[in-house]
Amino acid sequence: MLSRIQISNFRNIDDARVDNLSSVNVFVGDNGAGKTSFLEAIYTLGHGRSFRKQGGQKDSLVSFGSDRLVVFGERIAASGVTERMGLSRASAGDINIKINGEKVHRVSDAALRLPMIALNAETFELLVGGSSERRRYLDWAVFHVEQVFREASKKYLLALHQRNAMLRAISRTEKVSHKQGALVGAVVEQLDVWTHELCEYGEIVSALRYAQFERLNQFFQEALCRLGAEPLGVELRYRSGWAQGETLAGAIEKSAQNDMARGFTHFGPHRADIQVVVGSDVRGQSRLARDVLSRGQLKLLVLAMKLAQIMFFRQSAESRTARVNVSRDYVCETLTLILDDVAAELDQTRLDVLGDTLGCLVDRGGVQIFMSATSSDLIEGLIRRFPGAPAAMFHVEQGRLTRIE
């Protein structure tokens, strides 16, 4: 759990420090006061980027006139040890991360220590946006459970990048001249090497994803029950990125000529998706929820998906406590939850369900919450759901923070 946060040159925050953070932390202020900036800074410490898609670009995070932002935090590990984490990011985008004074080279090292889920207005576009957002949703869960996923995913993406480079070279060469057969042949030999790598690690990535998807789906159905949404008849379905019942190697082989002609890989985990489907039409075919449900109903489904993530993480964290080979200093067992103006997106009934779900987790130390609102009245009912964890209240004005006693 984060016990302290210090922020410099982050959007409209020149310099701010908060000590003695609570399990529930509330930032209240007018629109444009800087509430979301505080939440973004906390999220950036663990992810190296903002949770916002619009206005969250790397160069916009650094305060105007400054060269670099800095976010520093202290977290209390499951063992009781205090760990120091620091992140600095230049306006040009380069990132430096230190953990206990030692530089680390991957943002994922920070993400393991500070797992986070953000819920804001953009989150509710999860079902209507591209498949990359839904892959990221699933990969977050796999990343925090399967230790081999990070390396397998990295090797798959490298193979995909190299294979696509070979495919583009072949495509360009064939378009320029059909007489350069020797050059094409040499590239094809390299293509075979990267195709083998892609298939090997692609199957591993997909298997890891599917195993955790099954668990995540169970929690999704439980969340639907809590929200009273079972009558919608919604199901989650995992699509691997190639035809069901076929190996990735088989799909790649069938698509080889098409891949070379068009210069990219058509099948693989990079094309995976989670489909949210509803019932059946007159032909017995399921339809995508985004095509048949109202915006309010889609918000309900996204909330269920996020609740499923939270329950998934907590069950996984609790099972890790029995493992002797996992460092309790390295892997964080407290989930940091960012709730940015959720009162503007959810009615009181849904806020109550969210609060009830989180309440017992907060009491057990399993979740730390940072939330924002334009008025404490809007989230008073939600805060009451955490009787065992008195909320730390802060007023935000022009990027300055004042604790409300």
Side-chain angles (χ1 to χ4, degrees):
M1 184 176 88
L2 280 171
S3 59
R4 173 189 168 197
I5 191 80
Q6 186 167 348
I7 306 164
S8 300
N9 303 324
F10 193 105
R11 292 200 188 275
N12 65 338
I13 304 171
D14 293 331
D15 187 63
R17 171 174 169 169
V18 184
D19 296 305
N20 302 316
L21 288 167
S22 175
S23 295
V24 180
N25 305 274
V26 182
F27 299 84
V28 178
D30 294 334
N31 290 326
K35 305 182 302 297
T36 298
S37 296
F38 277 96
L39 301 186
E40 283 184 283
I42 294 167
Y43 189 89
T44 299
L45 179 61
H47 285 258
R49 58 178 175 82
S50 169
F51 55 80
R52 293 172 58 194
K53 301 181 192 69
Q54 302 296 324
Q57 294 83 359
K58 59 188 180 184
D59 56 344
S60 65
L61 299 180
V62 181
S63 299
F64 182 76
S66 301
D67 296 326
R68 182 175 293 272
L69 65 83
V70 177
V71 183
F72 173 84
E74 290 182 354
R75 78 171 185 97
I76 303 174
S79 63
V81 173
T82 297
E83 186 172 61
R84 294 172 290 111
M85 300 176 61
L87 177 145
S88 66
R89 182 165 195 162
S91 55
D94 63 291
I95 298 176
N96 290 315
I97 302 173
K98 288 186 178 181
I99 298 175
N100 291 328
E102 296 185 7
K103 186 173 182 178
V104 299
H105 299 285
R106 296 196 290 191
V107 175
S108 56
D109 290 327
L112 275 175
R113 288 170 165 83
L114 206 58
M116 295 187 182
I117 292 176
L119 191 62
N120 71 334
E122 293 176 344
T123 305
F124 294 99
E125 303 299 318
L126 179 63
L127 299 185
V128 298
S131 60
S132 61
E133 288 300 315
R134 292 182 291 278
R135 282 195 299 275
R136 190 175 294 116
Y137 167 84
L138 176 57
D139 286 349
W140 182 92
V142 184
F143 171 79
H144 285 290
V145 172
E146 299 286 0
Q147 295 185 37
V148 299
F149 179 73
R150 178 166 59 162
E151 197 62 31
S153 180
K154 178 182 177 181
K155 289 182 177 179
Y156 173 77
L157 292 175
L158 173 62
L160 177 65
H161 175 79
Q162 295 292 345
R163 185 176 192 270
N164 283 345
M166 299 298 102
L167 291 171
R168 288 193 297 271
I170 293 171
S171 178
R172 286 195 299 267
T173 302
E174 290 184 338
K175 289 175 182 177
V176 171
S177 173
H178 293 287
K179 298 180 181 180
Q180 301 186 46
L183 177 59
V184 172
V187 175
V188 168
E189 287 185 12
Q190 297 179 56
L191 178 66
D192 291 341
V193 173
W194 289 112
T195 297
H196 176 78
E197 288 278 302
L198 179 132
C199 292
E200 178 182 354
Y201 289 105
E203 291 282 8
I204 294 173
V205 167
S206 188
L208 293 172
R209 279 177 173 171
Y210 184 72
Q212 301 312 320
F213 167 79
E214 289 285 279
R215 292 183 55 215
L216 199 59
N217 193 21
Q218 292 175 2
F219 287 117
F220 173 72
Q221 295 301 327
E222 180 181 339
L224 286 179
C225 292
R226 295 190 182 199
L227 292 166
E230 309 107 296
L232 294 177
V234 178
E235 295 180 19
L236 296 185
R237 295 179 182 174
Y238 175 67
R239 295 290 179 260
S240 64
W242 66 93
Q244 188 175 1
E246 189 173 37
T247 65
L248 177 55
I252 292 292
E253 183 178 0
K254 288 180 181 179
S255 183
Q257 293 301 317
N258 195 24
D259 288 356
M260 287 189 282
R262 302 189 65 181
F264 64 90
T265 304
H266 285 76
F267 299 109
H270 62 289
R271 302 296 297 273
D273 195 4
I274 293 179
Q275 292 184 341
V276 185
V277 299
V278 179
S280 301
D281 60 18
V282 293
R283 294 172 296 177
Q285 297 179 339
S286 298
R287 301 182 64 185
L288 293 176
R290 67 187 182 195
D291 295 334
V292 295
L293 298 184
S294 69
R295 180 170 176 79
Q297 290 171 323
L298 291 177
K299 281 187 178 182
L300 195 63
L301 297 187
V302 173
L303 179 58
M305 292 176 72
K306 285 297 180 178
L307 289 175
Q309 269 189 321
I310 294 167
M311 292 186 286
F312 173 96
F313 179 86
R314 286 309 314 149
Q315 186 194 66
S316 301
E318 289 168 4
S319 68
R320 277 197 299 266
T321 59
R323 300 183 193 176
V324 297
N325 62 329
V326 176
S327 169
R328 301 185 77 204
D329 293 338
Y330 184 69
V331 179
C332 185
E333 294 172 3
T334 299
L335 175 65
T336 301
L337 184 60
I338 306 289
L339 304 177
D340 185 26
D341 202 18
V342 293
E345 299 295 329
L346 301 174
D347 59 32
Q348 191 58 53
T349 300
R350 310 310 177 198
L351 284 173
D352 289 345
V353 172
L354 177 62
D356 288 339
T357 303
L358 298 177
C360 61
L361 299 178
V362 169
D363 290 342
R364 298 204 305 266
V367 173
Q368 184 179 27
I369 299 173
F370 295 88
M371 70 174 83
S372 68
T374 54
S375 168
S376 58
D377 294 340
L378 295 174
I379 53 174
E380 183 179 356
L382 180 59
I383 295 173
R384 283 202 302 265
R385 303 285 167 167
F386 314 126
M393 305 287 293
F394 303 92
H395 181 259
V396 184
E397 185 175 3
Q398 296 182 351
R400 294 188 295 272
L401 201 66
T402 304
R403 187 184 286 265
I404 304 173
E405 301 296 341

